[in-house]
Amino acid sequence: MSFSIAIVGRPNVGKSTLFNRLVGKRLALVDDTPGVTRDLREGEGRLGDLRFTVIDTAGLENETDDSLPARMRRLTERGVDMADICLFLIDARVGILPDDEIFAEILRKRAKHVILAANKAEGAAADAGVIEAWSLGLGEPIRLSAEHGEGLNDLYSQLLPLA
Ligand code: GDP
Ligand code: MG
């Protein structure tokens, strides 16, 4: 059975880093045309024996207009509607910001399944942010480090029953 995961969250939390880690070089759709904003990037993800489609809400980071919240919302809703599972990242080093709460609200209303992950969680500097993530009302956050590849076992454990 194949399933799809949308990685969502505000800019700079590590979505693309996680996407790259899960997809590696197996990128399905590549559009490197300069100046073209790619709103959603899709790839073939792997974690252990699991195979799935991953959707990265890329492109937002390059937006220069000031309507970011509305665009962010639309893009997230598209990703959420496309995917079986939403992997919601927060930055454990920064803690919970108002934008994170907006995402949490969208996900609570709209997503089929949500997995919450506190990223950048390597080291003690992230401890407070991981605890704070409980306040989003989305259950226990996975302690993740997309950059260092930590917490992927916990991610696997949460994905397995949904696969
Ligand atoms: P996106 O905007 O959500 O796609 O975030 P990116 O994947 O572009 O990452 C934003 C920044 O966070 C980059 O400088 C990454 O190297 C950094 N980053 C991503 N994951 C981690 C992590 O697990 N730990 C730390 N310390 N930095 C990370
Ligand atoms: Mg990105």
Side-chain angles (χ1 to χ4, degrees):
M1 240 276 293
S2 166
F3 61 101
S4 57
I5 303 173
I7 305 174
V8 302
R10 59 177 182 75
N12 213 39
V13 294
K15 297 183 298 298
S16 298
T17 305
L18 182 61
F19 177 90
N20 290 336
R21 184 165 283 283
L22 294 172
V23 170
K25 296 195 188 308
R26 296 174 301 278
L27 191 57
L29 303 175
V30 182
D31 179 3
D32 284 330
T33 314
V36 171
T37 301
R38 205 170 33 207
D39 280 348
L40 298 173
R41 200 162 57 129
E42 198 175 295
E44 179 199 326
R46 291 188 191 186
L47 191 57
D49 59 343
L50 298 176
R51 301 287 181 272
F52 43 83
T53 299
V54 199
I55 300 153
D56 178 18
T57 47
L60 270 176
E61 294 77 4
N62 302 319
E63 291 296 334
T64 50
D65 65 50
D66 60 5
S67 61
L68 189 61
R71 294 186 62 86
M72 214 158 59
R73 172 176 282 271
R74 272 205 308 278
L75 190 51
T76 300
E77 287 173 351
R78 252 174 69 201
V80 168
D81 291 348
M82 283 168 71
D84 301 309
I85 299 164
C86 289
L87 184 49
F88 176 31
L89 296 196
I90 63 109
D91 183 331
R93 281 161 195 266
V94 171
I96 302 304
L97 300 182
D99 279 350
D100 295 311
E101 280 161 6
I102 292 172
F103 279 109
E105 181 71 14
I106 294 171
L107 292 171
R108 272 196 301 266
K109 284 188 181 151
R110 204 157 173 132
K112 299 170 196 92
H113 291 283
V114 182
I115 295 175
L116 172 63
N119 191 39
K120 311 193 187 182
E122 76 278 357
D127 289 354
V130 175
I131 298 294
E132 225 180 288
W134 281 93
S135 72
L136 293 168
L138 292 167
E140 179 172 5
I142 295 176
R143 243 195 120 107
L144 196 71
S145 173
E147 196 158 273
H148 299 270
E150 295 172 15
L152 295 172
N153 276 327
D154 292 337
L155 178 57
Y156 178 88
S157 302
Q158 291 217 15
L159 287 175
L160 192 58
L162 302 174

